[in-house]
Amino acid sequence: MQISRSAKKAAVAVAMLGAVAGASPAFADAGEDVTSRINHHTNPDIHFAYAYSLQSNGNKNVAVLDERADGNDVYSEFDRKNTKGLVLRNTKGKGKTTFSDNSTSNYVVKVTACVHFDGTFDKCGPDDRPGDGR
């Protein structure tokens, strides 16, 4: 059985439309703000670090804010859509924010705020991922 040229063209057109319809956009985002905060273990009103990636900015970067004048550096452990296990350090001090590089196609999908303690284990807040209900 032979297939006509017009039938082949129609089949190719349908396949291409299906691929385009099912493809994800070149520029997307996580669909929500992704945030994490590390608080003092006995007093939740004392904040050490705040890490975030905002949907209004396309989740294209991570920011980490040092919220306490204690001499300890803060950082964010974060994942992008296609890159896992990244770290953004902030060594600037209280009230200062450090920003990661930008990527609209490899947007941020997880952040965790952490504080570095000399001579003991670092502490981290909860991870936040899109769709986790936080």
Side-chain angles (χ1 to χ4, degrees):
M1 178 169 151
Q2 245 182 357
I3 300 175
S4 70
R5 278 187 199 210
S6 59
K8 287 180 185 177
K9 286 181 183 179
V12 169
V14 168
M16 289 178 69
L17 281 174
V20 169
S24 60
F27 301 106
D29 59 46
E32 64 183 73
D33 293 346
V34 186
T35 66
S36 177
R37 178 171 265 136
I38 175 77
N39 300 325
H40 190 274
H41 67 284
T42 60
N43 186 345
D45 294 328
I46 299 174
H47 309 297
F48 288 109
Y50 178 55
Y52 58 92
S53 179
L54 303 178
Q55 183 187 15
S56 62
N57 197 29
N59 296 108
K60 66 183 179 181
N61 66 350
V62 170
V64 61
L65 167 66
D66 189 336
E67 297 187 291
R68 186 152 173 84
D70 58 6
N72 295 315
D73 293 342
V74 298
Y75 60 97
S76 175
E77 296 175 345
F78 68 101
D79 293 343
R80 291 186 174 277
K81 180 180 172 220
N82 302 314
T83 316
K84 309 294 182 222
L86 301 169
V87 175
L88 174 66
R89 296 200 178 276
N90 180 343
T91 59
K92 298 177 181 179
K94 183 181 190 295
K96 304 294 184 185
T97 303
T98 299
F99 296 90
S100 72
D101 61 325
N102 294 328
S103 177
T104 53
S105 60
N106 194 19
Y107 53 88
V108 177
V109 296
K110 182 201 87 150
V111 298
T112 308
C114 300
V115 61
H116 172 74
F117 293 112
D118 288 331
T120 187
F121 295 105
D122 293 356
K123 304 260 190 270
C124 294
D127 293 345
D128 188 16
R129 293 177 169 89
D132 65 2
R134 286 186 2 105

